[in-house]
Amino acid sequence: MITVPAANGPGAFVHPALFYQGLDEYLAGVGGFVRTALGSDEPVLVAVPGPRLDALRDSLAGTGSDIEYVDMTRLGRNPGRILAALRDFAERHEGRPARIVGEPIWPGRTAAEVLEATRHEALINTAFAGRDATILCPYDVTGLSEDVVADARRTHPTVIEKGRELPSPAYTDAAAVCGGCDLPLPEPAPGAASLDYVSGDLALVRDFAESWARDTSLSPGRRGDLILAVSEAAANSLAHGGGRGTLRLWTAGGQGVVAEVQDGGRLADPLAGRRRPALASTNGGRGLWMIHQLCDLVEIRATHTGLTLRLHVADA
């Protein structure tokens, strides 16, 4: 049985990766973590992919009612949405230890999704620093590549293998991991629509995106999501990216559409868009938070030349 790792004192944060092989090992490790938390009267959030979620529900039936279950294939389809949900759970239980199971990477994820989920795993360490919280992250070592498992060692201070919890010698600062995620994005096929815009052109950007989207397979609702996300990204360019930017739009081979916004801006706060903004907040990040909620994947590249947001919106 995996017990909740001991904190070093009030406000300590613990973030282990659980390397498992097969369902039995998964249920023993994750189930043990949950049972130990419930035994200490601590609320638990379990956010794992659907098939694993069903197995855990059955395994944990009758253990207690203070468990919140979430299908990670829905919550984490865009990895940029996960962190806000984890923080929301911790804040709803303010004053009590937060115990969370989060499995953001599973076999079948695309390479782009895995990279953004790796960025998310690194940023957890920044977002929860100083909180009395434990986030256990399972990794299917039989179904995931060696590179993914190696990155898990870089984003988690400790790892649990074969029932033993040990420090991870490969653990790396979040800024270094995120910098390594800023790999060049592949160019789209020829024919992408393109628009350069400057201050005062926000209405032009919206009209351009709306006109282009009418000829795609997106439903009216998803077209609206795309146009709003593009509008927010362009507004950020005009406010924080030097007052100009470039929008490109293309279809993704039957998998929806992609919008890319490039500008000369910088991502000063790597957690921008990954916390739910207060209604009265005047701080930045509201637009990027909306973009994460509207899109099925947001690829972020922050380099010395500027900022690129690549927004994926699926047909359904």
Side-chain angles (χ1 to χ4, degrees):
M1 175 182 291
I2 300 300
T3 59
V4 177
N8 294 323
F13 174 55
V14 184
H15 183 208
L18 170 64
F19 295 149
Y20 70 90
Q21 300 183 42
L23 183 59
D24 289 343
E25 197 168 313
Y26 184 84
L27 295 177
V30 176
F33 174 85
V34 173
R35 289 186 180 93
T36 300
L38 294 175
S40 299
D41 193 30
E42 297 165 350
V44 184
L45 170 65
V46 176
V48 301
R52 297 297 195 212
L53 194 69
D54 293 338
L56 281 171
R57 282 183 190 272
D58 292 341
S59 175
L60 294 167
T63 58
S65 59
D66 213 359
I67 309 176
E68 183 176 331
Y69 292 100
V70 178
D71 186 346
M72 187 61 93
T73 64
R74 295 184 179 182
L75 167 64
R77 182 172 184 177
N78 171 20
R81 287 199 292 255
I82 302 172
L83 193 48
L86 305 190
R87 290 165 64 105
D88 285 350
F89 174 80
E91 289 166 7
R92 287 199 308 273
H93 298 280
E94 190 70 34
R96 303 174 70 188
R99 303 302 184 224
I100 298 169
V101 181
E103 188 170 3
I105 301 177
W106 57 88
R109 278 285 217 185
T110 67
E113 290 169 349
V114 167
L115 188 138
E116 293 303 326
T118 299
R119 189 193 302 272
H120 153 78
E121 286 278 58
L123 290 173
I124 283 179
N125 299 300
T126 301
F128 277 84
R131 285 178 176 259
D132 185 358
T134 302
I135 301 179
L136 179 73
C137 299
Y139 280 79
D140 180 358
V141 295
T142 59
L144 297 171
S145 72
E146 292 182 1
D147 288 343
V148 171
V149 175
D151 279 337
R153 297 183 187 277
R154 299 175 67 228
T155 55
H156 295 79
T158 61
V159 298
I160 300 170
E161 296 183 85
K162 303 185 187 313
R164 298 180 63 204
E165 183 187 358
L166 298 169
S168 175
Y171 177 63
T172 305
D173 179 76
V177 175
C178 290
C181 290
D182 288 327
L183 300 173
L185 289 164
E187 281 294 307
S194 181
L195 173 71
D196 294 324
Y197 56 89
V198 297
S199 295
D201 285 346
L202 192 54
L204 174 64
V205 171
R206 286 195 294 263
D207 290 343
F208 182 83
E210 186 170 12
S211 176
W212 179 87
R214 288 196 199 101
D215 293 328
T216 70
S217 61
L218 293 181
S219 67
R222 294 303 278 153
R223 285 202 305 269
D225 291 342
L226 171 70
I227 294 160
L228 181 54
V230 166
S231 179
E232 290 293 336
N236 278 347
S237 292
L238 300 180
H240 309 293
R244 63 178 61 248
T246 299
L247 168 67
R248 295 197 296 175
L249 297 157
W250 65 92
T251 57
Q255 298 179 338
V257 303
V258 182
E260 180 185 89
V261 173
Q262 293 180 308
D263 58 48
R266 297 288 185 269
L267 193 63
D269 179 5
L271 294 175
R274 297 174 190 268
R275 56 170 70 89
R276 185 187 299 273
L279 291 176
S281 173
T282 58
N283 295 330
R286 182 183 298 276
L288 190 51
W289 183 84
M290 289 183 60
I291 290 167
H292 276 304
Q293 307 312 304
L294 292 165
C295 298
D296 297 294
L297 175 64
V298 178
E299 295 182 85
I300 299 175
R301 296 295 184 272
T303 68
H304 68 282
T305 61
L307 184 65
T308 300
L309 298 181
R310 187 169 283 190
L311 318 178
H312 297 249
V313 177
D315 294 327

